[in-house]
């Protein structure tokens, strides 16, 4: 029997990972009705990680926590055994900003800390923290403040920097709270916390910060790093990844003793991709756009590197040359724009086009596998 594994990231703003896989399945089975199609949703460690974990068999545990500007948000974590998966983007991310309005000076990671605290209080001893898509540049002070609070105690006001610093001065409470807990962070950047390559300078403008606000934020982060160094005896502001997620990477490294791992590698382990792909005839991966960013740790690159069977990719648009695809380990790319040049139509109605690509892939790759196996 022909076996196909679809391990795609979402097509941002159009289709979830699961929807991509289902559309490909429908198209492929039109050509090979007997084909087994296995969906393995993946993400690169940003938004979509929580959904990937749930699809892999983790249980979603709902939690109401503070959004990036303090408003209550229904989010949660995914749990299997003593492991919890927390996705920063789903609680403290840009997608959670009310009306999409940036709050560069006041957005907080407090809600992410609340989710971690809830998981620990429920008995989890391993926290997988996906930190892509952050709305804040608070150095992780919000996250740490949430961990220093007892359940039911007053919370910090979103963006109240002085209150967050004051609360975080009780840093010994953090050590006690995470005693016996291993924290693994999905992180794909190597930026330091401060300076010209730091969290404020590089990512602050993407979160709505003006030039003056970038300077203010960098000063805040420097003050926070000084306080933490005084407490811990180590200065990790220049550690690779410290600037990730507005400085949450720094707080995780310096105060939670976290291990940083590439996001896609962590997610592939989480969803047991290698086990799922073993013995498949073909792996189909994908994401909204294949471009230069794909070459540096995005989902398609990670899936191709981890696969021991042929890999093709589906996407909205492909900006990579055939040689670049080959170097990634991707045999071919199939783009929606190959069928419909109007990008707006591709975004508005991607599913029928993706089903057609599934048919093409089956004709190009699966029919040969079916013939080789003697499958009618």
């Amino acid at each position: 029997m022909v076996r196909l594994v679809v391990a795609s990231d979402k097509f941002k703003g159009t289709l979830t990972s699961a929807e991509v896989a289902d559309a490909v399945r429908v198209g492929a089975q039109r050509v090979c009705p007997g084909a087994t199609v296995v969906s393995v949703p993946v993400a690169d460690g940003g938004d979509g990680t929580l959904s990937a974990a749930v699809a892999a068999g983790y249980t979603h545990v709902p939690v109401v926590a503070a959004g990036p500007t303090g408003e209550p948000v229904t989010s949660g974590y995914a749990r299997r055994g003593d492991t919890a998966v927390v996705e920063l983007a789903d609680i403290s991310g840009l997608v959670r900003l009310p009306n999409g309005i940036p709050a560069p000076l006041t957005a907080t990671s407090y809600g992410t800390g609340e989710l971690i605290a809830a998981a620990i209080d429920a008995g989890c001893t391993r926290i997988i923290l996906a930190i892509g898509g952050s709305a804040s540049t608070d150095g992780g002070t919000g996250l740490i403040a949430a961990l220093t609070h007892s359940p039911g105690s007053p919370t910090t006001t979103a963006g109240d920097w002085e209150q967050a610093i004051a609360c975080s001065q009780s840093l010994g409470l953090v050590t006690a709270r995470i005693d016996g807990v291993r924290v693994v962070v999905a992180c794909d950047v190597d930026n330091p916390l401060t300076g010209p390559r730091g969290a404020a300078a590089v990512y602050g403008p993407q979160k709505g910060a003006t030039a003056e606000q970038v300077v203010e934020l960098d000063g805040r982060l420097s003050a926070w790093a000084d306080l933490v160094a005084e407490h811990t005896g180590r200065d990790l502001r220049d550690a690779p990844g410290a600037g990730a997620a507005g400085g949450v990477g720094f707080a995780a490294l310096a105060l939670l003793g976290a291990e940083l791992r590439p996001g896609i590698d962590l997610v592939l382990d989480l969803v047991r991709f290698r086990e799922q792909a073993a013995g498949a005839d073909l792996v189909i991966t994908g994401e909204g756009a294949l471009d230069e960013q794909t070459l540096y740790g995005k989902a398609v690159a990670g899936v191709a590197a981890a696969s021991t069977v042929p890999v093709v990719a589906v996407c909205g648009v492909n900006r990579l040359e055939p040689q670049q695809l080959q170097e990634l380990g991707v045999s071919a790319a199939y783009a929606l724009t190959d069928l419909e040049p109007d990008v707006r139509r591709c975004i508005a109605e991607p599913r029928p086009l993706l089903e057609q690509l599934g048919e093409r892939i089956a004709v190009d790759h699966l029919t040969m596998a079916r013939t080789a196996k003697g499958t009618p």
Side-chain angles (χ1 to χ4, degrees):
M1 172 142 338
V2 175
R3 187 167 183 271
L4 169 66
V5 171
V6 185
S8 175
D9 201 346
K10 64 194 171 300
F11 281 23
K12 194 165 187 176
T14 56
L15 296 172
T16 66
S17 298
E19 289 169 338
V20 171
D22 190 61
V24 170
R25 176 192 62 78
V26 169
Q29 289 181 336
R30 287 174 185 161
V31 176
C32 300
T36 297
V37 183
V38 179
S39 172
V40 186
V42 299
D44 60 12
D47 55 315
T49 301
L50 193 64
S51 296
V54 172
Y58 282 65
T59 299
H60 185 263
V61 180
V63 177
V64 176
T69 55
E71 69 293 340
V73 169
T74 300
S75 179
Y77 59 91
R79 179 173 186 173
R80 175 190 280 166
D82 62 1
T83 297
V85 179
V86 174
E87 180 188 304
L88 180 149
D90 192 57
I91 183 67
S92 307
L94 293 165
V95 295
R96 291 295 196 177
L97 288 168
N99 300 314
I101 300 172
L105 295 180
T106 56
T108 175
S109 60
Y110 191 90
T112 301
E114 289 185 288
L115 295 187
I116 294 173
I120 293 173
D121 291 343
C124 294
T125 56
R126 181 172 181 253
I127 307 294
I128 296 174
L129 176 59
I131 62 175
S134 168
S136 70
T137 311
D138 72 349
T141 55
L143 183 155
I144 298 301
L147 288 175
T148 62
H149 277 105
S150 300
S153 65
T155 63
T156 57
T157 302
D160 187 338
W161 182 259
E162 290 75 16
Q163 187 175 352
I165 291 290
C167 179
S168 300
Q169 286 175 334
S170 304
L171 293 177
L173 296 175
V174 180
T175 303
R177 191 69 179 275
I178 65 166
D179 183 42
V181 177
R182 180 188 175 200
V183 179
V184 185
V185 176
C187 177
D188 290 316
V189 303
D190 62 0
N191 303 76
L193 179 66
T194 58
R197 291 190 61 249
V202 175
Y203 302 108
Q206 299 174 16
K207 302 172 185 181
T210 64
E212 293 78 11
Q213 289 172 331
V214 165
V215 172
E216 180 177 348
L217 288 168
D218 195 62
R220 291 180 177 184
L221 295 175
S222 294
W224 170 231
D226 290 342
L227 186 154
V228 173
E230 181 180 349
H231 171 76
T232 63
R234 298 185 305 157
D235 191 342
L236 296 181
R237 76 187 74 200
D238 292 328
V248 166
F250 168 76
L253 283 169
L255 296 168
L256 306 184
E259 169 194 355
L260 267 56
R261 289 189 57 194
I264 184 59
D265 292 351
L266 192 57
V267 172
L268 291 180
D269 287 348
L270 187 74
V271 301
R272 298 180 292 114
F273 167 74
R274 293 167 183 82
E275 178 184 333
Q276 300 271 27
D281 294 288
L282 182 70
V283 168
I284 299 178
T285 185
E287 56 193 10
L290 297 183
D291 53 28
E292 291 293 328
Q293 291 188 36
T294 304
L295 307 177
Y296 302 101
K298 301 293 280 186
V300 167
V303 168
S307 179
T308 58
V309 301
V311 176
V312 300
V314 291
C315 58
V317 59
N318 174 31
R319 300 187 182 97
L320 296 180
E321 299 295 329
Q323 181 178 345
Q324 292 174 301
L325 292 171
Q326 293 294 329
E327 290 172 354
L328 280 178
V330 175
S331 301
Y334 296 78
L336 301 184
T337 51
D338 294 341
L339 304 175
E340 172 53 70
D342 188 339
V343 174
R344 290 173 299 179
R345 292 191 63 182
C346 291
I347 293 173
E349 299 181 47
R351 185 179 175 106
L353 298 173
L354 198 52
E355 290 179 6
Q356 291 182 53
L357 293 184
E359 292 181 41
R360 285 192 177 186
I361 291 170
V363 169
D364 293 348
H365 301 275
L366 296 185
T367 51
M368 292 183 290
R370 182 174 60 178
T371 303
K373 291 187 174 186
T375 305

